[in-house]
Amino acid sequence: MVAPQDNGVYRPSASLILAAKEDSSAKFDYSLLLIKRSERTSYALNHCVFPGGVFDAGADESTEWLEYFRSFGVTDEDLKRLSCDQVSARPDFLSSGQNFSRDISLRLTALREAFEEVGLLLCANEEGIRSWYATTEGEPRTLLLQPDDRSQWQQRVHDDATQFLELCKHLHVLPNLWCLLEWSAWRTAATASRKYDTIYYVTALKEQTQQVSLLLEPQEVASAYWLDPEAAWTQSQNGTIWLPFMLLYDTARLMNLRRWEDFLKFSRQRSALGTTLVQPVYYRCDGCMFGVLPGDELYVDQPEKCTQSIMLNVSVAELNSSSRQYNRYIVYDFHKVVLASNVAPFNGHLQLQERVNSQLAKL
């Protein structure tokens, strides 16, 4: 059964998949930063996510940002070049915006939230901007600055998002929008009570994880972990942490990239192809719930109308044996999730890592 359309508004948000270096002899020579939500903000035990949060129009879309960027010699055209062109239509939540592209605003959201939640200020100074202009390659050098009164500034930004601009002015730095590379975009399933359109950016720090000083915001963040993609996948499956299903899917793609250099190179190449907004559609059958993604034979034309799970009168074994074209995650419980896809990824993306990509006919 497909329910009538839900008129709920999807709120724009942004998250940051942040990688830092590890020992070069390790299986993965980089780790990803995950934060465990506090009990007040979490909706599941050991709920872990990448740093991020909701777009704030007053702070992230202020014309004061344009004036401030211009003071560093960054023109409106320079900012426009950050947005990727792609063959398919750009998701509305990335191409809209009042004073400048929403993509710019959401980069500011991701960087603001990184400072608010874990005390990381990813920025560029005037010298770095000038050097970047001289070469026109890559992106300005990323600095990780720690103001002497970091905890006070973190509290100010937490209480008032417009203070992030004041922090940057105080230190005379720019948020490094250019170090963020598009990775994926997910729309919350229409069955959810809280609805978001979330862009995931990646950035690769040259620092070792032990050199990255975190300051956790006590009201929202209970703890933080540096985990390589495989460890994040394993710990979510064994119950040590819990990754939301779309993050588990993205982690399974990241498992293909074992070297920091490969992570950065692939992310740069893929980001230039743009991003398709993906919204899961939920089904229920005898024995489990599962989310289907674009390309799956069970995917519907208007996923935003599926405000209730679609019921199928078959067992999961029957369903698996009869499926021919699939791109889905099968949820037996929070920590027993099977990923399966035989569909070519969109936008030049990675397929699920082979070890965790199941063939439904064999289940």
Side-chain angles (χ1 to χ4, degrees):
M1 177 181 71
V2 178
Q5 183 172 2
D6 182 11
N7 292 320
V9 175
Y10 290 85
R11 301 173 68 190
S13 66
S15 288
L16 184 57
I17 303 173
L18 191 148
K21 291 183 175 180
E22 295 284 9
D23 188 328
S24 60
S25 64
K27 185 175 181 180
F28 287 82
D29 70 350
Y30 69 94
S31 289
L32 307 173
L33 179 62
L34 285 163
I35 60 173
K36 181 180 175 181
R37 291 293 184 194
S38 67
E39 291 185 7
R40 187 177 70 84
T41 60
S42 179
Y43 63 92
L45 183 65
N46 297 324
H47 173 205
C48 286
V49 293
F50 299 114
V54 178
F55 161 76
D56 185 304
D60 304 328
E61 207 168 48
S62 169
T63 54
E64 289 187 46
W65 277 114
L66 290 177
E67 298 170 9
Y68 187 55
F69 276 98
R70 288 169 189 152
S71 73
F72 280 74
V74 177
T75 66
D76 295 0
E77 287 301 316
D78 292 328
L79 293 176
K80 287 179 181 178
R81 283 197 290 271
L82 277 168
S83 297
C84 301
D85 294 324
Q86 60 185 119
V87 176
S88 57
R90 193 127 179 87
D92 289 342
F93 87 107
L94 289 177
S95 58
S96 61
Q98 293 298 316
N99 300 315
F100 40 85
S101 170
R102 183 60 54 77
D103 176 39
I104 304 298
S105 300
L106 287 169
R107 288 169 187 265
L108 290 169
T109 301
L111 293 168
R112 172 176 57 78
E113 289 286 345
F115 180 75
E116 178 184 330
E117 293 187 329
V118 294
L120 292 182
L121 181 60
L122 281 70
C123 57
N125 60 18
E126 199 163 7
E127 180 184 354
I129 294 292
R130 285 200 305 268
S131 299
W132 170 60
Y133 267 126
T135 60
T136 65
E137 293 182 0
E139 60 275 335
R141 179 184 171 217
T142 298
L143 302 176
L144 287 178
L145 290 191
Q146 296 180 38
D148 293 337
D149 45 359
R150 181 165 60 152
S151 61
Q152 294 178 26
W153 274 108
Q154 186 183 54
Q155 186 63 50
R156 287 172 65 176
V157 174
H158 178 270
D159 294 341
D160 178 3
T162 64
Q163 290 299 300
F164 185 59
L165 173 57
E166 298 307 312
L167 170 62
C168 293
K169 288 180 177 180
H170 174 70
L171 297 173
H172 195 59
V173 294
L174 287 180
N176 196 348
L177 308 181
W178 299 269
C179 76
L180 304 189
L181 304 167
E182 287 187 21
W183 180 260
S184 62
W186 292 86
R187 167 169 279 186
T188 312
T191 53
S193 57
R194 297 179 181 178
K195 295 179 169 60
Y196 303 96
D197 286 339
T198 304
I199 177 72
Y200 286 87
Y201 297 105
V202 299
T203 191
L205 299 179
K206 294 182 178 179
E207 287 81 1
Q208 298 282 326
T209 55
Q210 61 268 26
Q211 297 175 305
V212 181
S213 172
L214 303 178
L215 178 64
L216 307 187
E217 201 290 308
Q219 298 180 53
E220 298 183 21
V221 183
S223 55
Y225 308 92
W226 287 105
L227 297 173
D228 67 57
E230 187 173 273
W233 164 273
T234 301
Q235 291 192 29
S236 186
Q237 293 289 68
N238 67 24
T240 305
I241 64 175
W242 179 71
L243 293 178
F245 307 128
M246 64 285 291
L247 268 61
L248 196 66
Y249 193 96
D250 269 341
T251 299
R253 297 199 278 203
L254 285 161
M255 287 170 65
N256 290 290
L257 303 170
R258 294 189 178 185
R259 302 292 97 186
W260 182 92
E261 291 83 359
D262 294 337
F263 172 91
L264 179 57
K265 181 180 179 181
F266 174 80
S267 298
R268 280 177 173 162
Q269 293 173 341
R270 203 229 58 78
S271 182
L273 300 177
T275 306
T276 297
L277 182 63
V278 174
Q279 182 174 28
V281 173
Y282 280 108
Y283 285 77
R284 288 188 179 275
C285 64
D286 184 15
C288 73
M289 173 186 79
F290 60 101
V292 303
L293 305 173
D296 194 293
E297 61 194 29
L298 293 178
Y299 201 70
V300 299
D301 290 335
Q302 295 178 295
E304 69 279 1
K305 292 187 176 182
C306 295
T307 58
Q308 296 180 15
S309 297
I310 301 172
M311 307 302 295
L312 298 178
N313 190 26
V314 295
S315 69
V316 64
E318 292 171 322
L319 184 65
N320 289 343
S321 64
S322 63
S323 297
R324 296 294 175 264
Q325 183 172 312
Y326 48 85
N327 187 23
R328 64 187 69 167
Y329 48 87
I330 305 168
V331 182
Y332 296 94
D333 60 44
F334 272 158
H335 300 294
K336 185 180 179 183
V337 182
V338 173
L339 303 184
S341 178
N342 62 2
V343 173
F346 301 115
N347 310 122
H349 226 306
L350 294 165
Q351 182 57 280
L352 301 171
Q353 203 275 336
E354 184 178 356
R355 186 173 68 82
V356 299
N357 187 7
S358 301
Q359 297 182 43
L360 290 187
K362 295 183 178 181
L363 293 179

